[in-house]
């Protein structure tokens, strides 16, 4: 009957799908862990890093909204809060990675790396750092999303100040976490922009996810007004375009600098990813995560149209997952394209858990989404 | 249609008592079939652009074409220099080393896109133009203080001095002024 009831119904239906994905994916992950524990951990790491980066992106965008304000943020603020509030959940989802580091990371066998690197890359320090990261992120998310009387004003001064410092802390934390969890798969290799690239990929995926949520909800009966005003949709599309360009700029900088230097210890990362079939995945990402969405998002006809924008946001979100896969998996299978069914199982398991919690929050706090989008 | 009048006149300028009457009158004049009209107000008036059915300009297309020309010419310039006219072996890389060409291509895309934007905007606005006929009307000064004006230009296909004047008066104009060319 009313718009709220219809939306609640839609959210419930999606939530059922997400729970099924979590259960089926989880069962398959369990099977994979029995059959091939090493492969399960590798697939799980890819799924975990992707969904963790989405949470971090939500938290970062929320703080950015507190700092700069704007129509876009008012429309998606509740959704960004839901994504940020899942930080403790990502800490739980981190456990399989934490328990499996001896099978994931070559540096656990200390003789594989120099003594200087072993000062940083050793299991006790790795665990201690992970604990510190999650405490900082959880504190930020809790302080920013907590409902208090003092937070009744839309922009309490302390939250603005917290966001200013918090963005720095988040960026540093994500950089270190990206080095620990992703870059250290190749302990000999290093890139100074790696963390920024992961952080920006997270912001891009989060922006795409909240836009996708709003535009997918926006398909009521033809006589009901649109959920999101066209100008707001245009702003969301423009922000996806902005993050897309920034992400592509970071990614290309890393490639160009390593390509120009052409030193064996640096270029091995790209050699492993541009041979044996991986190059076709790389080309797909260049097209699907830059060229196609870039030209589509130049047009206002696409950005201000719910169904078209939904398609672009979905494309960007899926492509960001493929990028995470392309940036991590070749470390295990260099110069030889390799996809295991556990990759899909892990994506479904971690994603199902994450999305069902996100949708559960969205359904419970639907009035906030509607209040943020008066139409 | 009186052609001699139309040659001496730029258009008819009607003054309205406030923003709402201006929007209403604009919508009426537009509904009557007039297209070459423009409204002037001291502040942004909500609904005015919609009342005129303000269409999008061709600016985005001009900027896109400028950007594409910039990108292509930047890339081709580097190709011509590095491959055809002055080939130098740099660290054994192929002469056509496209990754190194991308930053300059990006810069020239932005450069020509911006030039197209600025000069295209000036051209579409009819600039440079030292004097506009509307400034020949003494009352028009008030368009930047407290005056709300609608101008119907003689170049409109439907323009007729008497009928247009009657229409503007009927739409609630306080005063309808001839704008000399």
């Amino acid at each position: 009957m009313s718009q709220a009831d219809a939306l609640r119904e839609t959210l419930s239906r999606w939530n059922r799908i997400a729970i099924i994905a979590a259960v089926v994916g989880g069962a398959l992950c369990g099977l994979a862990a029995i059959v091939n524990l090493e492969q399960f951990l590798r697939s799980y790491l890819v799924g975990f890093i992707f969904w963790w980066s989405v949470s971090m992106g939500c938290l970062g965008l929320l703080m950015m909204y507190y700092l700069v304000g704007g129509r876009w943020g008012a429309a998606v603020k509740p959704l960004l809060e839901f994504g940020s509030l899942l930080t403790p959940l990502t800490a739980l989802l981190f456990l399989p990675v934490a328990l499996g580091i001896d099978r994931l990371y070559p540096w656990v066998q200390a003789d594989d790396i120099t003594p200087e690197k072993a000062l940083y890359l050793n299991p006790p320090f790795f665990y201690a750092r992970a604990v510190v990261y999650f405490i900082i992120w959880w504190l930020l998310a809790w302080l920013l999303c907590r409902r208090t009387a003092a937070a009744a004003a839309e922009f309490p001064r302390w939250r603005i100040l917290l966001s200013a410092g918090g963005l720095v802390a988040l960026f540093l934390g994500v950089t270190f976490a990206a080095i620990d969890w992703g870059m250290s798969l190749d302990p000999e290799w290093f890139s100074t922009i790696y963390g920024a690239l992961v952080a920006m990929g997270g912001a891009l995926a989060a922006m795409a996810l909240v836009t996708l949520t709003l535009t997918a909800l926006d398909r009521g009966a033809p006589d009901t007004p649109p959920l999101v005003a066209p100008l707001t949709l245009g702003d969301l599309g423009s922000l996806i375009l902005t993050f897309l360009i920034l992400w592509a700029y970071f990614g290309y900088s890393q490639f160009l600098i390593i390509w120009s230097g052409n030193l064996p210890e640096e270029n091995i990362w790209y050699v492993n990813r541009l041979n044996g079939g991986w190059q076709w995945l790389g080309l797909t990402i260049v097209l699907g995560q830059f060229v196609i969405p870039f030209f589509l998002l130049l047009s206002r006809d696409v950005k201000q149209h719910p169904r078209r924008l939904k398609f672009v946001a979905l494309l960007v979100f899926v492509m960001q997952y493929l990028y995470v896969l392309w940036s991590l998996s070749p470390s295990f299978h260099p110069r030889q394209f390799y996809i295991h069914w556990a990759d899909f199982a892990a994506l479904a398991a971690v994603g199902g858990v994450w999305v069902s919690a996100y949708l559960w929050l969205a359904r419970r706090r639907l009035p906030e989404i509607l209040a943020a989008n008066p139409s | 249609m009186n052609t001699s009048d139309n040659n001496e006149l730029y258009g008819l300028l009607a003054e309205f008592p406030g923003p709402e009457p201006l929007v209403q009158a604009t919508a009426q004049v537009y509904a009557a079939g007039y297209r070459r009209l423009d409204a002037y107000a001291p502040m942004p008036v909500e609904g005015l652009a919609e009342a005129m059915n303000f269409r999008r300009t061709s600016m985005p297309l001009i900027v896109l074409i400028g950007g594409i020309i910039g990108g292509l010419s930047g890339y081709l310039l580097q190709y011509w220099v590095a491959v055809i006219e002055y080939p130098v072996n740099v660290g054994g890389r192929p002469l056509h080393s496209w990754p190194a060409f991308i930053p300059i291509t990006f810069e020239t895309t932005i450069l020509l896109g911006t030039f197209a934007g600025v000069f295209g905007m000036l051209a579409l606005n009819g600039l440079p133009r030292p004097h506009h006929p509307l400034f020949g009307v003494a009352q028009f000064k008030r368009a930047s203080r407290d005056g709300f004006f609608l101008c119907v230009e003689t170049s409109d296909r439907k323009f007729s001095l008497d009928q247009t004047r009657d229409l503007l008066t009927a739409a609630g104009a306080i005063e309808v002024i001839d704008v000399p060319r």
Side-chain angles (χ1 to χ4, degrees):
Chain A
M1 38 172 270
S2 80
Q3 193 194 14
D5 288 337
L7 291 179
R8 198 165 281 126
E9 192 52 47
T10 311
L11 286 169
S12 301
R13 202 172 60 241
W14 293 349
N15 208 351
R16 279 196 293 277
I17 298 172
I19 290 171
I20 292 171
V23 171
V24 174
L28 286 174
C29 277
L31 182 67
I34 296 167
V35 177
N36 187 344
L37 183 58
E38 199 148 70
Q39 180 57 46
F40 158 72
L41 286 168
R42 291 168 172 180
S43 300
Y44 188 89
L45 181 72
V46 175
F48 166 77
I49 297 255
F50 174 67
W51 288 101
W52 158 76
S53 76
V54 178
S55 270
M56 294 299 105
C58 285
L59 190 53
L61 291 175
L62 184 63
M63 290 195 275
M64 203 176 87
Y65 172 58
Y66 273 114
L67 287 179
V68 301
R71 189 167 48 192
W72 68 276
V76 296
K77 182 177 171 223
L79 297 171
L80 294 175
E81 289 185 346
F82 306 156
S84 308
L85 284 170
L86 299 184
T87 306
L89 183 72
T90 57
L92 275 181
L93 291 170
F94 181 66
L95 285 179
V97 177
L99 294 174
I101 59 166
D102 54 333
R103 284 166 192 273
L104 278 172
Y105 298 102
W107 48 261
V108 177
Q109 276 76 45
D111 50 337
D112 272 17
I113 49 171
T114 60
E116 291 80 11
K117 279 201 176 180
L119 286 177
Y120 183 84
L121 290 177
N122 59 72
F125 194 26
F126 177 89
Y127 288 130
R129 284 195 304 269
V131 169
V132 172
Y133 304 149
F134 277 113
I135 288 177
I136 292 174
W137 298 330
W138 171 77
L139 262 179
L140 282 174
W142 182 69
L143 287 171
L144 285 167
C145 305
R146 190 168 54 120
R147 252 114 260 285
T148 59
E154 210 189 335
F155 284 97
R157 195 165 167 71
W158 64 272
R159 276 199 175 157
I160 298 176
L161 289 173
L162 177 70
S163 298
L167 262 183
V168 177
L170 178 77
F171 208 85
L172 282 175
V174 171
T175 299
F176 275 95
I179 292 171
D180 287 5
W181 303 343
M183 201 163 102
S184 77
L185 291 172
D186 303 283
E188 303 297 320
W189 182 77
F190 55 89
S191 159
T192 48
I193 209 169
Y194 189 90
L197 191 54
V198 170
M200 213 42 65
L204 176 60
M207 200 69 226
L209 178 74
V210 293
T211 306
L212 181 64
T213 313
L214 277 188
T215 47
L217 278 174
D218 194 357
R219 54 165 177 200
D223 51 327
T224 55
L227 179 67
V228 192
L231 284 178
T232 312
L233 279 184
D235 288 356
L236 293 175
S238 298
L239 275 168
I240 295 182
L241 179 62
T242 311
F243 283 116
L244 190 75
I245 296 173
L246 195 56
W247 174 85
Y249 168 74
F250 282 1
Y252 191 76
S253 309
Q254 177 178 290
F255 172 72
L256 182 65
I257 288 167
I258 290 178
W259 176 87
S260 302
N262 205 18
L263 301 171
E265 69 266 28
E266 287 182 350
N267 68 18
I268 186 70
W269 198 81
Y270 281 106
V271 170
N272 288 344
R273 279 156 183 78
L274 293 175
N275 287 294
W278 286 117
Q279 72 269 33
W280 301 115
L281 184 57
L283 187 65
T284 309
I285 292 163
V286 169
L287 290 176
Q289 187 67 317
F290 185 68
V291 178
I292 295 170
F294 174 82
F295 281 102
L296 285 177
L297 286 173
L298 285 180
S299 161
R300 236 183 289 176
D301 291 330
V302 173
K303 282 187 283 195
Q304 299 188 354
H305 191 288
R307 270 214 318 281
R308 294 175 194 157
L309 186 63
K310 180 174 74 175
F311 166 74
V312 179
L314 180 67
L315 175 74
V316 168
F317 192 71
V318 171
M319 283 296 159
Q320 189 57 39
Y321 168 74
L322 289 181
Y323 172 73
V324 172
L325 180 79
W326 181 82
S327 74
L328 296 176
S329 241
S331 295
F332 307 119
H333 307 284
R335 277 161 281 177
Q336 186 50 58
F337 182 75
Y338 185 81
I339 291 275
H340 194 269
W341 55 267
D343 289 331
F344 300 101
L347 174 67
V350 183
V353 171
W354 198 97
V355 170
S356 57
Y358 171 79
L359 290 175
W360 179 77
L361 281 170
R363 186 173 180 276
R364 230 173 50 123
R365 290 165 59 171
L366 182 64
E368 289 171 41
I369 303 178
L370 293 175
N373 291 284
S375 51
Chain B
M1 191 183 278
N2 189 328
T3 44
S4 68
D5 275 348
N6 290 357
N7 285 336
E8 288 157 21
L9 281 186
Y10 170 75
L12 283 176
L13 185 68
E15 186 184 354
F16 293 89
E20 291 84 16
L22 177 64
V23 174
Q24 279 172 18
T26 308
Q28 273 182 40
V29 173
Y30 186 87
Y34 289 90
R35 292 296 176 267
R36 304 228 14 124
L37 42 106
D38 214 342
Y40 305 88
M43 77 278 197
V45 176
E46 193 153 343
L48 192 53
E50 288 76 14
M52 277 193 291
N53 197 11
F54 204 75
R55 284 188 314 271
R56 288 193 208 161
T57 65
S58 41
M59 274 308 291
L61 186 66
I62 294 175
V63 176
L64 180 69
I65 292 173
I68 290 175
I69 292 176
L72 281 179
S73 51
Y75 194 95
L76 291 176
L77 173 69
Q78 294 173 88
Y79 183 87
W80 176 70
V81 171
V83 179
I84 298 166
E85 191 57 29
Y86 201 73
V88 174
N89 184 333
V90 182
R93 291 190 181 81
L95 292 174
H96 182 206
S97 283
W98 63 266
F101 295 175
I102 298 293
I104 305 293
T105 306
F106 173 77
E107 302 287 352
T108 51
T109 306
I110 303 287
L111 182 71
L112 285 215
T114 321
F115 278 169
V118 173
F119 295 114
M121 179 270 291
L122 292 178
L124 290 187
N125 281 338
L127 293 170
R129 180 173 195 167
H131 182 78
H132 194 280
L134 278 172
F135 294 122
V137 178
Q139 292 94 319
F140 189 69
K141 269 189 214 148
R142 299 205 351 261
S144 58
R145 281 207 312 275
D146 59 351
F148 296 87
F149 296 94
L150 177 67
C151 179
V152 182
E153 292 164 25
T154 50
S155 53
D156 194 293
R157 278 192 299 115
K158 282 206 71 173
F159 190 88
S160 137
L161 198 51
D162 298 330
Q163 281 173 25
T164 308
R165 193 192 301 276
D166 290 347
L167 176 70
L168 287 169
T169 315
I174 309 172
E175 192 183 2
V176 181
I177 311 148
D178 292 358
V179 184
R181 199 171 274 280

